[in-house]
Amino acid sequence: MNLDDEEEKLLRAVALRNADSIFLARQRAEQERDRARAEADAAHRAAREANEAKGRFVNMVSHELRTPLGAIGGYAALLEEEIHGPLSDEQRKFLARIRHNQQHLLRLVDDLLDLAKIESGQFQLKITSVRVQDVMENVCKMIEPQISESDLRFDVAPSEDALCCVADRERVEQIVLNLVANAVKFTPTGGTIAVSATGTAKEVSLHVRDTGLGIPPGRLEEVFQPFVQVESRPNATSRGTGLGLAISRELARAMGGDLSAKSEAGRGSTFTLCLPRVQ
């Protein structure tokens, strides 16, 4: 055997070893990929099952809460009608507190249900053309009792008639009402709350501005997290749950828009709801 044959044999052996190494490395990579894929699928299934279980739990709890809360409201209404005898002023005051807290708990149940449906992708929207001026006028009517009880200036700038967005009207009103109600809670006596709307070729924006406490720098995004409350509220009669803004942003995004905020501590805040404009 000559030298060339020896070199060829050696090269063939090296090539075979390299081929074996490449094959084994590829095999190990495929096994790692399959294992990672299986782990990801298992984690996805576990997350989906946990989310479904949470949804079932929230639905069950909300149903179990609604029944006694409805009964409480019914009995309070019967007492207010003085079916079982006249009531003193002190008793009426206590009944008013009962009704107030009953309504607060019902709103909490509704918020939990909305959040569970949004997270599970089961939230249904009725998308239509919505006239912005109608939304603002309706929200003003709904918030009027709360505004009249507070010493605040409430300004609503009229919008152009043609300003319409593509959205679910009921949910748009829910978001704007929540923003105005929050502004009332966070704005000290003598302050101002202003509602306005602007539009571009593709977008409609509803703005709710207040001269309240404001939000500290770096904490703007926190207010959109569930159960987060950044500051105490000077005009609040009861502590909220921290769900309103989280749900409002999720609703806005589900309708193809967004909800954002600008603020300066001690100077007030402006929340802006952006939605697609009717073309």
Side-chain angles (χ1 to χ4, degrees):
M1 183 179 294
N2 58 35
L3 184 60
D4 290 341
D5 292 337
E6 288 291 336
E7 289 179 351
E8 184 178 350
K9 185 178 180 180
L10 180 62
L11 289 172
R12 188 179 295 116
V14 171
L16 287 173
R17 282 199 300 272
N18 288 340
D20 288 341
S21 298
I22 292 171
F23 175 76
L24 290 173
R26 182 179 297 171
Q27 195 174 41
R28 284 195 296 270
E30 289 177 351
Q31 290 173 347
E32 288 295 328
R33 182 192 62 195
D34 292 342
R35 182 163 51 250
R37 184 178 296 168
E39 291 175 353
D41 289 342
H44 179 71
R45 285 195 302 272
R48 185 178 65 249
E49 290 170 0
N51 204 34
E52 290 173 353
K54 182 179 70 173
R56 289 193 298 270
F57 174 75
V58 170
N59 282 323
M60 180 193 68
V61 170
S62 64
H63 175 74
E64 295 300 322
L65 287 174
R66 276 186 171 278
T67 301
L69 285 171
I72 291 171
Y75 282 119
L78 289 174
L79 290 172
E80 287 175 337
E81 292 175 5
E82 299 185 330
I83 291 177
H84 298 290
L87 298 175
S88 66
D89 291 341
E90 194 69 16
Q91 288 171 327
R92 287 193 175 278
K93 187 185 300 182
F94 289 151
L95 275 177
R97 291 178 183 175
I98 291 172
R99 293 294 294 270
H100 173 80
N101 284 285
Q102 181 242 5
Q103 292 297 318
H104 174 71
L105 287 173
L106 283 175
R107 285 193 298 271
L108 172 58
V109 170
D110 288 339
D111 286 347
L112 288 171
L113 274 174
D114 282 350
L115 190 62
K117 288 178 181 178
I118 290 170
E119 290 181 346
S120 64
Q122 298 177 353
F123 201 85
Q124 299 296 319
L125 293 169
K126 299 176 182 178
I127 303 298
T128 61
S129 174
V130 180
R131 185 169 173 265
V132 173
Q133 186 63 29
D134 292 340
V135 170
M136 296 169 68
E137 290 174 358
N138 205 29
V139 168
C140 288
K141 293 176 184 176
M142 290 187 284
I143 200 68
E144 187 176 2
Q146 193 173 345
I147 292 290
S148 62
E149 293 176 1
S150 60
D151 188 13
L152 298 172
R153 181 180 175 183
F154 188 55
D155 293 331
V156 179
S159 65
E160 56 180 283
D161 288 339
L163 196 59
C164 297
C165 60
V166 182
D168 183 318
R169 173 168 174 166
E170 181 180 347
R171 297 305 176 181
V172 175
E173 290 180 354
Q174 177 183 342
I175 295 171
V176 178
L177 182 62
N178 178 64
L179 296 178
V180 176
N182 278 350
V184 172
K185 295 171 185 176
F186 279 101
T187 305
T189 299
T192 299
I193 298 170
V195 181
S196 60
T198 57
T200 64
K202 296 183 178 181
E203 194 174 64
V204 171
S205 298
L206 289 94
H207 313 277
V208 178
R209 180 180 58 83
D210 65 66
T211 57
L213 299 176
I215 302 170
R219 303 198 65 183
L220 273 176
E221 284 302 307
E222 289 185 35
V223 301
F224 294 107
Q225 299 300 316
F227 306 106
V228 172
Q229 295 183 353
V230 175
E231 293 288 344
S232 60
R233 301 173 297 176
N235 297 339
T237 56
S238 62
R239 186 170 177 80
T241 60
L243 286 173
L245 288 176
I247 292 172
S248 294
R249 172 174 273 187
E250 292 296 333
L251 287 174
R253 290 178 174 177
M255 293 185 289
D258 205 354
L259 178 62
S260 61
K262 294 181 179 180
S263 184
E264 185 178 350
R267 301 284 302 269
S269 306
T270 299
F271 285 82
T272 299
L273 169 64
C274 295
L275 293 167
R277 182 168 185 170
V278 172
Q279 299 300 312

